[in-house]
Amino acid sequence: MTEGYEVVVIGGGAAGLSGALMLARARRSVLVIDGGSPRNAPAEGVHGLLARDGTPPAELLARGRDEVRRYGGHLRDGRVETVTRDGEGFLVALADGRPVRAARLLVATGLVDELPELPGLRERWGRDLVHCPYCHGWEVRDRPIGVLATGPLSVHQALLFRQWSDDVLFLRHTAPPLTDEQAEQLAARGVRVIEGEVASVEVAADRLVGVRLRDGRLVAREVLVAAPRMVARAGFLVALGLRAVAHPSGAGEHVPADSMGRTDVPGVWVAGNVTDPAAQVGAAAAAGALAAAAINGDLVAEETRRAVEAARSTTRRGGIHE
């Protein structure tokens, strides 16, 4: 027989585990399915998370899994292939062929960071190639930083990282020319603009030393900043009519939801980077807890409705019998 749970959480990162913890504490039967590829795996530590600043990502997730199990939650390693309707609930098909039924779904699969195709770039990701000043700014403070223009938020990135270093260069690369306002802002903050397409990343002794421009020039830098295109991991939801769409910021794609994580598909909630690309670990965990509370409330409402109907039916039968 196919296993059944009141809630299946797809994704075992901060958002998914936080939601599962809340649901398990609410005495719900809950299963977390995790593909084992957290977005922040390359990072040495999670930063800006109260009372857990600097904790290695793997350690944080291990603690979270233990807490979910402590309250009776179940966890399974695996990758979800598709999700389809199954009566009033859902059928979750895994890559290993084992299906699972769920009355409600919490999707917390995060996103994929699509980086520019430059030789040597991806290998530096999460080390001396970063994107978020609030995640990594303190760690790269006072060092020579180069901001690689990759999207509509690149100028904003340069202005932000200027808070952490006096030596910030804006590498325009293949981006459109700056507007007069953008050029004025960068100049006023002391951020010099480097024209020319970047051809590759230069590394020595496993440390970033700069970028090589197409014309052969070497621009010395110790840290590179690049805004990836952030794409929600949501392809398995297509059969439900739920798709990732362009994010209003222009930074990539996300699954839209209301403030509680409820999507347009009844019974499906989302939390974390799959819907909010900018959410750090703390915000993702909070969103997971919020969505879980909404899911539990939805289940309580359904259970109450059924209980009322059953009570009315009993009353009617009693009246007829009399």
Side-chain angles (χ1 to χ4, degrees):
M1 294 180 63
T2 301
E3 289 182 70
Y5 295 86
E6 290 174 296
V7 186
V8 168
V9 179
I10 306 175
L17 290 174
S18 179
L21 177 62
M22 183 72 78
L23 288 161
R25 283 176 53 83
R27 309 186 76 175
R28 295 295 178 186
S29 61
V30 57
L31 171 68
V32 179
I33 302 172
D34 183 38
S37 55
R39 180 190 183 194
N40 62 356
E44 291 184 359
V46 173
H47 296 293
L49 183 62
L50 188 64
R52 286 290 181 265
D53 184 75
T55 303
E59 179 182 331
L60 189 73
L61 295 183
R63 290 185 180 188
R65 288 191 288 267
D66 287 343
E67 289 174 353
V68 171
R69 292 190 185 99
R70 187 188 311 161
Y71 291 99
H74 297 262
L75 294 102
R76 178 182 299 176
D77 295 331
R79 183 170 56 86
V80 173
E81 290 280 350
T82 59
V83 179
T84 54
R85 276 288 177 190
D86 180 43
E88 295 183 0
F90 304 93
L91 189 65
V92 181
L94 279 72
D96 63 9
R98 293 178 296 172
V100 177
R101 285 193 175 90
R104 302 290 187 275
L105 290 178
L106 174 55
V107 178
T109 41
L111 56 81
V112 175
D113 291 299
E114 295 182 349
L115 294 169
E117 293 294 331
L118 287 177
L121 192 68
R122 178 161 287 280
E123 290 76 13
R124 312 313 304 175
W125 185 236
R127 301 166 67 191
D128 36 31
L129 170 64
V130 299
H131 76 291
C132 172
Y134 302 107
C135 300
H136 306 285
W138 177 262
E139 284 65 42
V140 303
R141 66 193 184 282
D142 300 326
R143 296 170 65 186
I145 298 173
V147 178
L148 180 67
T150 58
L153 300 178
S154 295
V155 170
H156 179 60
Q157 274 187 311
L159 295 172
L160 284 176
F161 272 93
R162 177 62 180 79
Q163 173 68 22
W164 282 266
S165 174
D166 294 335
D167 187 358
V168 178
L169 299 181
F170 184 81
L171 305 163
R172 193 168 72 81
H173 189 42
T174 57
L178 298 170
T179 66
D180 291 342
E181 181 183 15
Q182 289 173 328
E184 182 180 35
Q185 290 174 339
L186 292 174
R189 293 288 284 155
V191 178
R192 188 158 59 95
V193 178
I194 304 297
E195 298 289 347
E197 183 179 349
V198 176
S200 63
V201 174
E202 296 289 311
V203 177
D206 198 29
R207 296 183 64 181
L208 178 74
V209 296
V211 296
R212 183 74 62 178
L213 301 185
R214 189 69 64 187
D215 61 14
R217 286 179 293 160
L218 175 66
V219 180
R221 296 285 91 182
E222 293 182 7
V223 179
L224 199 59
V225 175
R229 183 172 183 270
M230 298 178 282
V231 180
R233 292 175 171 142
F236 58 90
L237 297 172
V238 171
L240 296 179
L242 194 57
R243 292 177 171 81
V245 300
H247 191 269
S249 68
E253 298 178 355
H254 74 137
V255 178
D258 67 13
S259 60
M260 299 293 287
R262 188 191 299 265
T263 71
D264 290 337
V265 176
V268 181
W269 277 257
V270 291
N273 287 151
V274 72
T275 185
D276 182 3
Q280 292 178 263
V281 171
L290 195 65
I295 291 171
N296 185 63
D298 190 56
L299 287 168
V300 167
E302 179 179 310
E303 290 160 352
T304 302
R305 175 181 57 78
R306 289 179 176 175
V308 169
E309 290 176 354
R312 288 175 177 172
S313 177
T314 300
T315 301
R316 285 195 298 269
R317 287 197 302 270
I320 294 172
H321 178 74
E322 290 173 358

